[in-house]
Amino acid sequence: MTLSLISLMYRDIAELWLFLKRSTDEIMHQDIAPLCAADIEDQLKKQFAYLSGGRGQDGCPVITFPDYPAFSEIPEKEFQNVLTYLTSIPSLQDTGIGFILVIDRRQDKWTSVKASVLRIAASFPGNLQLVLVLRPTGFLQRTLSDIAFKFNRDEFKMKVPIIMLSSVPELQSYIDKTQLTEDLGGTLDYCHSRWLSHRTAIESFALMVKQTAQMLQSFGTELAETELPNDVQSTSSILSAHTEKKGKMKEDMMLALKEGHTILESIREPLAKNPEYNLNQDQLDNQTTVQRLLDQLGETESAFDEFWAKHQQKLEQCLQLRNFEQNFREVKAILDVVSERLSAFTDVGNSYAHVEHMLKDLASFEEKSNEAVAKARALSLEGNQLIQSKHYAVDSILPKCNELQHLCDEFTAEMGRRRNLLHQSLELHSLLEKSMKWCDEGIYLLASQPVDKCQSQDGAESALQEIEKFLDTGAKNKIQELNKVYKEYESILNPDLKEHVQKVFQKQESMEEMFQKRQVSLKKLAAKQTRPVQPVAPRPEAFTKSPCPSPGLRRGSENASEGNVPRRGNYRRAKSEMSDIQQGRSGSMMDDEENLAILRRHVMNELIETERAYVEELLCVLEGYAAEMDNPLMTHLISPALQNKKDVLFGNMEEIYHFHNRIFLRELENYIDYPELVGRCFLERMEDFQIYEKYCQNKPRSESLWRQCSDCVFFQECQRKLDHKLSLDSYLLKPVQRITKYQLLLKEMLKYSKNCEGAEDLQEALTSILGILKAVNDSMHLIAITGYDGNLNELGKLLMQGSFSVWTDHKKGHAKVKDLARFKPMQRHLFLHEKAVLFCKKREENGEGYEKAPSYSYKQSLNMTAVGITENVKGDVKKFEIWYNAREEVYIIQAPTPEIKATWVNEIRKVLTSQLQACREASQHRALEQTQSLPLPTSSNTSPSKNQTKNVKKLEERKTDPAILEGYVSSASGPKNPDKSKGWTKTSYSLDAAEDNDGWSSTEEPLNSSDAEEEGGAGPKKLVPGKYTVVADHDEKGGPEALAVKSGDIVELLHEGEEGLWFVKNLTTSKEGWVPASNLLALIGNSKSAQSLSSSESGTGSTFLSSSSSCSESCNATFSDIKG
C-alpha cells in the first residue's frame, strides 16, 4: 500500500513537472529581437524613421521616413540599428509580404533625396514591396528631380519599384488615408513617444516573463531532484528553504502579471477613452503579444502551484514521518527505561513498613510513568491518523503504532502484576507482624506473671485464666497452617521471606509450647491441696539426723517442748512437705530463668525490629531526598544555595545505610535465637561503627545548610511524595539517635544475661559502644578548635577532653604576676592527646541547634614527653598538677569533681607509663647489643663491666632503683636499698637512654607522677606472699612436686622454702607445687602491679604511689601484685 502511494505521488509530481517544463520552455524558446527599444532608445527618439502601424493594401507594414534635415548626418551604425529594429517588430507573416517605405522629402533638395534613397536602399534589412517618395515641392527642385530621376534611373535600381510622388493625394492612391499619419494627410493616430514607451514596456515584460520562466524551471528542477532527508532537522530545513523560495517565485510572478496587465491597460487606454477608437495593426499586435505572455505566465503559475502543492505535501508528509519516527524513538527509550525500572521492583519487602514504602514508591513511579505511557498512546493515535490521511509511509508507521500499543499494554499489565504481588506481600507481612506481636505480648504476659503469687491456688487459677484468655486471641492473630501460607503466597515467597515465615512460625510454636508448659505447671499448682503441718516435736535423734532443718521444722521443735509427744508419721509428713517446698523453690528458679530468657528474646526482638525500621528510614531518606537531588525533573525546585550540596546535607548516610542493610542487620538476625550472644556481633563490627564519627562531625554543617534551605520547595515536594509527617531534619538526626540507642539495648540485654555464656562479650560490647560515643563526642569538640597552626592528627588519638579551672605557677616571670595567678583561675578546656595536652579557651555559644556548639580558641600545648604530674594538691581533693620541664611551668588543675580528677590522673599516668615503657625497651635493646659485643661472663655472679658499673653509679647518683640494671645487664645483680626520694625521680630512666633520646634528655623527667608534697622511698620489689598474674608459660620437669603454669594463670605465693624455692598454688587449675624464685621473677616480672595502676584509688595517697608506682619500679617491676 505504501509503495503504491509513494509511486502514485511520484508519478503525479513527475507529470506536473513535465507540464511545468513545457510551459516554461515555450516561453523561453520565444525569440526576442536582438535589439531592444531600451538599447537604442536615444536613436529611436530622433524619429528619422518610424513604424506608424499603418498597412498597405496587402497588409504590408508601412515605415515612414519623415523630413529630417540632418538625415545625412546620422551615423551608419545608428541608421542600421533603427532600420533593423523597425523591421523586426511586425510579425513574420507581415514581414514576409514586404515593407512599404514612405520617404517624405517635400521640404528637401533633390541632392538630399537622391542621397537618402540611395542610403535607404543600401541599408534596408528587410523585404521591400514598394518605395514611395514625396519629392520636393519647389518648382525648381521638382523639375530638377524629374529630369535627374529620368537620366539617373539606373542608379535607383532596387528589387522593388520606386515611385516619385508630387503630392500627398497621389500618396493616398497607394496607401489608404486611414493608414497614413496626420502629417501625410491621413487620419492614423500615432504618437512616437507613446509608441516608444509601449515598445520598451512590452519588451521589458517579455524579458521578465522569460526570466521568470527560467527561474521556475530551475526551481522546479531543484524540487524534482530533492531527496527526502532521514531526520527531522534536515527535512524541516529543506521544507522551510523550499517554501521561502516558492514564496519569492510567487512574488516575481505576481510582479510580472501586474506589469503585463499595466501594459495591456496602457495599450487599451484609447479604447477606454473612446470606445469607437480603432487600434492600428501594431497596437493590436502589441496587445496580442502582451495577452499571450500573460496567458503563458498564468498557465505556468498554475502548473507551478499544482507541482508545488504535491511537492509540499511530499515534504510535509516526510516531516510528519520523521517527527513520528523521532518521537517513537524517544518514547520507546522512555518506555524501555520505565520498563527496566519496573523490572527492578522484584523485592517483595522484608517488613510491613518496607512493603508499604515500596507500594508508595511503586505508586509514585506509576504516576511518573503514566506520563510516558500517555505519550506513547498519543503517539500511536497520531500514527493512526497519519495512516487514515493516506500517508505514503503506511508500511513504516503501522508497525510502530502496533509496537507502542503492545509496550503500553505490557507495561500496564506488569505494573498491575507488581502491585498485586506487593499487596500480597503486605498481607503476608501483616499476618507475620500480627503473629510476632501476639508472640511478644504472650512473652510479656509470661514474664509479667509474678512467680510468688502463682504459688497459691488462687494465683495459679488467675494466671491460668489470663493465659487461656490470651490464647483465645490467637485465632485471628497467629499463623494457623504453615503449608496453607506457603500455598497461598507461593508467588512471593523467596528464600529469605520463606525463612522469615519459618522463623515466625517457629517463634509462635515456641511461645505456644512455653504457654503449654506454664499451663501444666499452673494446673498442678491450682489442683494441689494444701495439707496442714501438725506442730509435733521430733525426737532428739531425729533432729540430729536432719542435716538441713527448715524453718517449719524448727517451729515444730519449739512447739514440741510444750509437751506434745513426737510421732514418726508426723515427722515424715513434715519431711514430705519440706520436699514439696524445695521442689517449689526449684520450680521458681526454673521459672525465673525462663522469664529471663523471655526478656532476652524481647530485647532481641526490639533490637532487630528497630534495626529494620532504622534501615528502612535511611533508605527512605536516600531515595526520597538524596536521589531526587540528582533527578533532572526536580532540578528546578532546588534553590541555588542547595546546588551541589548533597554531600554536606546527608554526610556519609549512604555509607551508614549500606553497612547496616548489607552487614549488620543480617548478622543480628543470625543471633535471634541466641540473644545472650549478640555482644559478639557488636564486637566483630566495632570498627565499622567508626563511620558514625564522620557523620556526627559533619552534622553541624548539615544543620546549618538545612536552616538556610528548609523552606525550599524541593523539600516540601519530597515530603509530600513520601507522605512524611516530619520534615527532613528529623530523619537526619536518626543516625545520631541510633548510635546512642545501642548502649541502652545492650544494658538491658546484659541485665538479663548476667549468668549466661555471652555476658562478658555483652559487657565488652557495651564498653566499646560507650567508648565510641565518647570518641564521637570528643571529636565534635575537637573540630571546634580554632587557632591551632599544626595538624591535630599528628598529636595522636584524643583520649580525654573537659573544662577545668587552671592556675599557673611558673619559676620564670614577675613575682606579682605569679601571685595574681595563684588567686585568679583561668577557665580552660583541656584536650589530652597521646603526644600532647592542649589548653584552649571556650568561647560563648551562639545560634541555634548545632550552631550552639561551643568553639575553642587555642592557647598553648605541652609535649607529653616533657610533662610530669602531681596527683594530690594539699587543700583540695579536686586539684592536681601538670608540670613541664622540671617544674619550670606548673599548672594547677581543678576538676569539677574528684571522680573526674581521678579519671584524668589515671589517663595521664597511662600515657606517661607507655612512653617510659617504650624508652625502657629501647634502652634494653641497646644494652643487649652492648653485652653481646663483650665476652660472655663465666658465672652469673660475676661483676658487671666498666660500662655497667658506670651506669650503676650514675643511676645511684640520680636516686634510681638499682633494680633497673636488670634491663641492661644480667638479672643476678642484687637489689640495693635506695635513698628516699620525692615523687617520681628525675632518674627514672637509664643514662644511656637519656643521652640517646633528645626528647627525654631535654626535659630530664620523662615521667613524673608522684606527689611532690609527700616523701616515700621506693625500694626494690621482693617476692612476698600474695596473688600474681603469670605472664609466661612454665613447664618444670625437675620433680614430682614441680608446678606447671601458663600465661594468664592466677597464682598465689604461699611461703618461701629452702634453696630459693617458693610454694605456689595455681588458682586457675587448683594445683600446688614448688617453683624456683628466679623462675618466678621471669614468670611474673613483666606484668604491672594492680596497685600501681590504681594508686589514687587505694586510699593511701601519694605515699603509697611513691612506694609502689615510682618511675623506676614502673620500668623494672618484676611481678604484678594483685592481692585481693
Side-chain angles (χ1 to χ4, degrees):
M1 180 178 179
T2 302
L3 293 175
S4 61
L5 286 174
I6 295 175
S7 60
L8 180 63
M9 171 176 282
Y10 276 95
R11 188 171 66 249
D12 293 344
I13 292 175
E15 290 177 356
L16 290 172
W17 162 239
L18 291 175
F19 177 69
L20 176 63
K21 191 173 186 302
R22 283 196 300 270
S23 299
T24 54
D25 284 345
E26 183 179 349
I27 295 173
M28 291 169 60
H29 291 162
Q30 291 177 356
D31 291 333
I32 296 178
L35 286 174
C36 297
D39 298 335
I40 58 172
E41 185 175 1
D42 294 338
Q43 302 168 22
L44 291 173
K45 283 182 179 180
K46 293 179 180 181
Q47 202 176 345
F48 60 84
Y50 61 87
L51 190 66
S52 63
R55 293 288 188 273
Q57 294 178 357
D58 296 333
C60 300
V62 177
I63 295 177
T64 303
F65 289 88
D67 186 17
Y68 190 77
F71 185 81
S72 60
E73 298 176 359
I74 297 173
E76 186 61 29
K77 181 65 175 175
E78 292 184 7
F79 187 75
Q80 188 68 37
N81 288 340
V82 170
L83 290 182
T84 301
Y85 176 72
L86 292 177
T87 55
S88 67
I89 293 175
S91 64
L92 295 175
Q93 182 180 358
D94 292 344
T95 57
I97 299 174
F99 287 90
I100 297 178
L101 302 182
V102 177
I103 304 173
D104 185 8
R105 289 294 181 267
R106 287 176 293 177
Q107 302 301 325
D108 209 346
K109 297 179 181 179
W110 168 247
T111 55
S112 297
V113 172
K114 178 180 177 181
S116 298
V117 171
L118 291 175
R119 187 175 186 183
I120 292 171
S123 303
F124 195 79
N127 297 328
L128 288 174
Q129 188 180 33
L130 185 64
V131 177
L132 301 175
V133 181
L134 287 173
R135 58 187 178 181
T137 56
F139 176 76
L140 180 61
Q141 295 297 327
R142 186 172 63 238
T143 303
L144 184 61
S145 62
D146 287 340
I147 296 171
F149 184 74
K150 290 178 181 179
F151 287 100
N152 298 294
R153 184 179 296 274
D154 293 339
E155 296 182 18
F156 297 101
K157 283 184 178 180
M158 302 177 68
K159 295 180 180 179
V160 293
I162 298 176
I163 301 176
M164 292 291 184
L165 300 176
S166 300
S167 62
V168 172
E170 291 183 16
L171 177 63
Q172 293 177 355
S173 63
Y174 291 95
I175 301 174
D176 191 80
K177 183 179 180 180
T178 59
Q179 300 300 319
L180 294 173
T181 58
E182 292 179 356
D183 58 336
L184 296 176
T187 61
L188 181 65
D189 182 26
Y190 176 76
C191 176
H192 188 68
S193 60
R194 183 180 62 191
W195 174 87
L196 184 59
S197 174
H198 284 174
R199 290 306 307 171
T200 304
I202 290 172
E203 290 171 0
S204 176
F205 176 61
L207 183 62
M208 181 185 294
V209 170
K210 186 172 183 179
Q211 290 174 346
T212 302
Q214 288 176 342
M215 287 189 293
L216 284 176
Q217 189 174 40
S218 176
F219 183 49
T221 303
E222 180 184 349
L223 297 183
E225 294 177 353
T226 299
E227 294 184 0
L228 298 179
N230 293 322
D231 60 284
V232 174
Q233 184 63 34
S234 300
T235 307
S236 179
S237 299
I238 289 177
L239 180 60
S240 177
H242 285 184
T243 303
E244 185 179 354
K245 286 185 179 180
K246 178 257 180 183
K248 192 174 185 307
M249 292 289 101
K250 289 290 290 183
E251 288 180 2
D252 292 342
M253 283 190 288
M254 293 303 297
L255 287 175
L257 288 170
K258 184 178 181 181
E259 182 70 17
H261 287 295
T262 301
I263 295 171
L264 197 60
E265 288 177 1
S266 177
I267 294 173
R268 294 175 177 175
E269 185 179 359
L271 286 174
K273 293 180 179 180
N274 184 11
E276 296 180 358
Y277 181 84
N278 292 321
L279 299 175
N280 60 43
Q281 190 60 44
D282 283 351
Q283 289 175 328
L284 290 174
D285 289 345
N286 289 342
Q287 177 179 319
T288 302
T289 300
V290 173
Q291 187 62 53
R292 186 184 74 251
L293 290 173
L294 286 173
D295 292 342
Q296 289 177 345
L297 192 60
E299 290 176 1
T300 304
E301 182 185 17
S302 299
F304 176 75
D305 287 343
E306 193 171 353
F307 171 73
W308 167 255
K310 288 291 183 180
H311 178 74
Q312 185 182 29
Q313 180 186 6
K314 180 182 72 171
L315 285 180
E316 286 178 347
Q317 287 188 351
C318 178
L319 182 61
Q320 290 172 348
L321 176 62
R322 301 299 177 242
N323 275 318
F324 177 79
E325 290 174 343
Q326 178 175 318
N327 293 336
F328 172 79
R329 288 191 294 269
E330 293 175 356
V331 170
K332 187 176 182 303
I334 295 174
L335 285 178
D336 290 342
V337 170
V338 297
S339 298
E340 184 178 355
R341 289 191 62 187
L342 180 61
S343 64
F345 280 85
T346 55
D347 192 8
V348 292
N350 52 26
S351 67
Y352 186 87
H354 188 196
V355 178
E356 274 190 328
H357 180 66
M358 292 181 67
L359 276 171
K360 289 180 182 179
D361 285 348
L362 187 65
S364 175
F365 172 71
E366 183 178 13
E367 183 181 351
K368 295 176 182 177
S369 303
N370 283 341
E371 183 179 352
V373 174
K375 283 183 179 179
R377 295 193 186 278
L379 186 60
S380 177
L381 180 62
E382 180 183 337
N384 290 325
Q385 291 174 351
L386 291 177
I387 294 172
Q388 292 174 4
S389 64
K390 297 182 180 181
H391 196 283
Y392 70 84
V394 174
D395 290 344
S396 174
I397 297 173
L398 185 59
K400 291 181 173 62
C401 292
N402 294 336
E403 184 176 358
L404 288 175
Q405 193 65 36
H406 173 71
L407 288 174
C408 291
D409 294 342
E410 189 179 43
F411 177 81
T412 304
E414 182 65 16
M415 178 66 75
R417 191 180 74 84
R418 297 286 181 187
R419 190 187 304 107
N420 291 336
L421 288 177
L422 286 179
H423 279 298
Q424 270 193 310
S425 177
L426 190 69
E427 184 179 336
L428 176 58
H429 281 291
S430 176
L431 176 62
L432 294 176
E433 292 197 0
K434 280 184 180 179
S435 176
M436 291 177 68
K437 184 179 180 182
W438 184 67
C439 292
D440 291 341
E441 290 175 355
I443 292 170
Y444 180 77
L445 175 61
L446 292 178
S448 61
Q449 285 184 339
V451 178
D452 54 346
K453 292 185 179 179
C454 293
Q455 300 301 317
S456 65
Q457 185 176 4
D458 292 340
E461 290 178 351
S462 176
L464 270 173
Q465 290 176 359
E466 288 180 354
I467 290 175
E468 290 171 355
K469 183 178 180 182
F470 175 78
L471 291 175
D472 291 340
T473 63
K476 58 181 180 180
N477 290 317
K478 70 176 184 178
I479 301 174
Q480 301 295 342
E481 296 180 20
L482 190 60
N483 291 332
K484 185 178 180 182
V485 172
Y486 287 163
K487 185 176 181 180
E488 184 177 355
Y489 299 101
E490 182 180 3
S491 57
I492 61 171
L493 279 178
N494 55 33
D496 292 338
L497 186 54
K498 191 171 184 180
E499 183 182 358
H500 182 47
V501 173
Q502 290 174 348
K503 287 183 178 180
V504 173
F505 190 73
Q506 289 172 2
K507 179 178 180 180
Q508 179 180 299
E509 286 184 328
S510 299
M511 192 273 295
E512 289 177 332
E513 184 180 352
M514 292 167 59
F515 267 83
Q516 290 172 2
K517 290 180 180 179
R518 180 65 64 87
Q519 282 179 309
V520 171
S521 177
L522 290 174
K523 285 178 180 178
K524 288 181 180 180
L525 292 172
K528 184 170 62 176
Q529 298 296 326
T530 306
R531 293 172 293 181
V533 180
Q534 290 184 344
V536 296
R539 288 181 291 185
E541 59 269 21
F543 218 105
T544 57
K545 289 179 181 179
S546 177
C548 184
S550 67
L553 293 176
R554 287 190 182 131
R555 285 194 300 272
S557 64
E558 291 172 0
N559 294 333
S561 64
E562 296 178 2
N564 293 332
V565 178
R567 291 182 295 176
R568 186 169 296 276
N570 287 338
Y571 168 72
R572 288 174 180 167
R573 188 180 301 162
K575 188 175 181 180
S576 174
E577 185 66 23
M578 181 184 70
S579 177
D580 289 343
I581 293 173
Q582 288 176 345
Q583 289 179 2
R585 288 176 179 176
S586 176
S588 298
M589 291 177 64
M590 292 177 63
D591 286 342
D592 289 341
E593 182 56 35
E594 182 181 337
N595 290 338
L596 289 174
I598 292 170
L599 292 172
R600 285 195 296 271
R601 291 194 194 97
H602 184 72
V603 175
M604 191 66 194
N605 289 335
E606 182 182 359
L607 174 60
I608 292 178
E609 291 304 318
T610 53
E611 185 72 14
R612 288 172 180 163
Y614 174 56
V615 169
E616 183 65 26
E617 287 171 341
L618 291 182
L619 177 63
C620 185
V621 171
L622 291 173
E623 289 186 347
Y625 287 97
E628 290 297 306
M629 290 184 74
D630 298 326
N631 186 355
L633 300 178
M634 299 285 285
T635 305
H636 65 286
L637 300 178
I638 300 177
S639 61
L642 198 59
Q643 294 284 350
N644 302 319
K645 295 290 182 63
K646 185 171 75 171
D647 291 340
V648 175
L649 185 62
F650 297 98
N652 62 330
M653 180 181 284
E654 185 174 358
E655 183 184 7
I656 293 173
Y657 165 73
H658 288 313
F659 163 64
H660 284 272
N661 183 51
R662 298 174 180 174
I663 300 173
F664 193 61
L665 175 58
R666 297 181 182 180
E667 292 185 357
L668 280 179
E669 290 172 343
N670 293 334
Y671 288 88
I672 192 168
D673 296 325
Y674 312 99
E676 66 276 1
L677 303 179
V678 76
R680 298 175 184 176
C681 181
F682 281 90
L683 291 176
E684 289 172 358
R685 295 298 171 186
M686 199 55 66
E687 290 185 4
D688 294 315
F689 282 102
Q690 302 297 329
I691 57 178
Y692 279 90
E693 186 171 339
K694 180 179 178 182
Y695 185 84
C696 293
Q697 288 178 351
N698 180 70
K699 197 66 178 72
R701 297 174 62 208
S702 173
E703 186 76 11
S704 177
L705 180 61
W706 165 256
R707 277 195 301 276
Q708 295 176 30
C709 308
S710 58
D711 297 333
C712 181
V713 182
F714 169 78
F715 293 127
Q716 299 173 6
E717 179 65 16
C718 292
Q719 185 175 349
R720 183 191 66 78
K721 289 181 179 179
L722 295 171
D723 196 22
H724 281 178
K725 295 180 181 179
L726 299 176
S727 55
L728 175 61
D729 58 327
S730 300
Y731 291 91
L732 293 176
L733 199 59
K734 293 292 182 181
V736 181
Q737 295 171 338
R738 186 60 183 171
I739 192 64
T740 56
K741 176 74 173 177
Y742 288 128
Q743 55 103 5
L744 299 177
L745 293 170
L746 286 172
K747 284 180 181 177
E748 283 292 306
M749 185 65 77
L750 182 61
K751 186 169 72 173
Y752 305 134
S753 310
K754 289 183 178 178
N755 298 323
C756 297
E757 178 185 351
E760 293 182 1
D761 291 336
L762 284 170
Q763 181 61 57
E764 187 177 352
L766 175 59
T767 303
S768 300
I769 284 290
L770 292 174
I772 287 177
L773 292 176
K774 177 183 176 299
V776 168
N777 182 55
D778 290 346
S779 67
M780 295 292 288
H781 290 273
L782 191 62
I783 62 175
I785 295 178
T786 60
Y788 183 73
D789 294 333
N791 186 356
L792 291 173
N793 294 328
E794 295 177 355
L795 302 181
K797 182 180 178 183
L798 177 63
L799 304 175
M800 303 281 287
Q801 56 84 24
S803 295
F804 299 89
S805 297
V806 179
W807 289 263
T808 60
D809 186 9
H810 301 342
K811 291 181 179 179
K812 297 178 180 179
H814 197 274
K816 290 185 177 180
V817 176
K818 290 165 47 178
D819 293 339
L820 288 173
R822 291 180 180 273
F823 297 103
K824 292 185 178 180
M826 298 176 292
Q827 298 303 316
R828 291 289 182 264
H829 201 89
L830 272 60
F831 293 88
L832 176 62
H833 292 261
E834 290 176 325
K835 298 182 180 180
V837 58
L838 271 61
F839 289 76
C840 299
K841 183 175 181 180
K842 188 175 181 180
R843 297 300 181 185
E844 293 183 1
E845 303 170 358
N846 296 315
E848 298 179 356
Y850 276 89
E851 282 195 354
K852 289 189 69 177
S855 62
Y856 303 99
S857 178
Y858 169 76
K859 293 300 180 182
Q860 65 190 111
S861 62
L862 304 179
N863 193 331
M864 291 302 293
T865 58
V867 163
I869 62 169
T870 302
E871 294 190 17
N872 294 315
V873 176
K874 287 183 177 180
D876 195 338
V877 294
K878 295 184 294 184
K879 288 182 180 180
F880 64 97
E881 286 184 354
I882 296 179
W883 39 270
Y884 195 63
N885 283 343
R887 302 188 66 86
E888 286 185 0
E889 300 177 18
V890 179
Y891 301 88
I892 302 172
I893 313 297
Q894 184 183 48
T897 64
E899 291 77 13
I900 294 177
K901 169 208 165 178
T903 304
W904 271 74
V905 167
N906 290 336
E907 197 65 40
I908 293 173
R909 188 193 306 119
K910 289 179 184 178
V911 174
L912 299 179
T913 303
S914 63
Q915 289 181 354
L916 183 60
Q917 181 69 17
C919 177
R920 183 169 68 98
E921 290 175 356
S923 300
Q924 289 176 345
H925 180 69
R926 284 191 297 273
L928 181 61
E929 291 179 349
Q930 292 173 3
T931 55
Q932 288 176 348
S933 64
L934 296 175
L936 292 174
T938 58
S939 171
S940 61
N941 294 323
T942 57
S943 300
S945 64
K946 277 187 177 182
N947 189 33
Q948 294 167 343
T949 306
K950 181 179 178 181
N951 287 341
V952 172
K953 186 175 181 180
K954 289 183 178 180
L955 291 169
E956 288 178 346
E957 290 174 356
R958 297 168 68 91
K959 301 179 182 179
T960 304
D961 184 359
I964 200 170
L965 295 177
E966 291 176 10
Y968 301 99
V969 295
S970 64
S971 60
S973 301
K976 298 180 181 180
N977 292 326
D979 296 335
K980 291 184 178 180
S981 60
K982 292 186 178 180
W984 293 74
T985 62
K986 298 180 182 180
T987 58
S988 58
Y989 60 100
S990 77
L991 183 60
D992 294 340
E995 291 173 352
D996 295 339
N997 191 320
D998 294 338
W1000 293 83
S1001 61
S1002 62
T1003 61
E1004 294 187 357
E1005 297 192 41
L1007 177 64
N1008 201 325
S1009 67
S1010 68
D1011 188 20
E1013 304 297 332
E1014 298 289 340
E1015 293 185 357
K1021 283 285 185 178
K1022 292 183 179 181
L1023 290 177
V1024 294
K1027 296 178 182 179
Y1028 301 89
T1029 301
V1030 177
V1031 297
D1033 292 346
H1034 172 68
D1035 188 6
E1036 181 65 50
K1037 299 180 181 179
E1041 297 182 358
L1043 178 66
V1045 294
K1046 293 184 178 180
S1047 177
D1049 288 353
I1050 306 297
V1051 298
E1052 183 177 4
L1053 276 63
L1054 299 177
H1055 59 85
E1056 186 176 7
E1058 298 178 354
E1059 298 179 356
L1061 295 177
W1062 275 83
F1063 190 70
V1064 179
K1065 181 178 182 179
N1066 189 336
L1067 300 179
T1068 305
T1069 62
S1070 300
K1071 294 182 180 180
E1072 297 176 345
W1074 293 93
V1075 180
S1078 59
N1079 290 350
L1080 284 176
L1081 291 174
L1083 292 174
I1084 60 179
N1086 292 329
S1087 62
K1088 294 183 181 179
S1089 170
Q1091 293 170 334
S1092 69
L1093 296 178
S1094 60
S1095 61
S1096 61
E1097 300 171 4
S1098 64
T1100 59
S1102 59
T1103 303
F1104 181 84
L1105 181 61
S1106 299
S1107 63
S1108 62
S1109 301
S1110 67
C1111 178
S1112 60
E1113 289 172 3
S1114 296
C1115 291
N1116 303 284
T1118 57
F1119 53 85
S1120 175
D1121 188 354
I1122 56 167
K1123 293 179 181 179

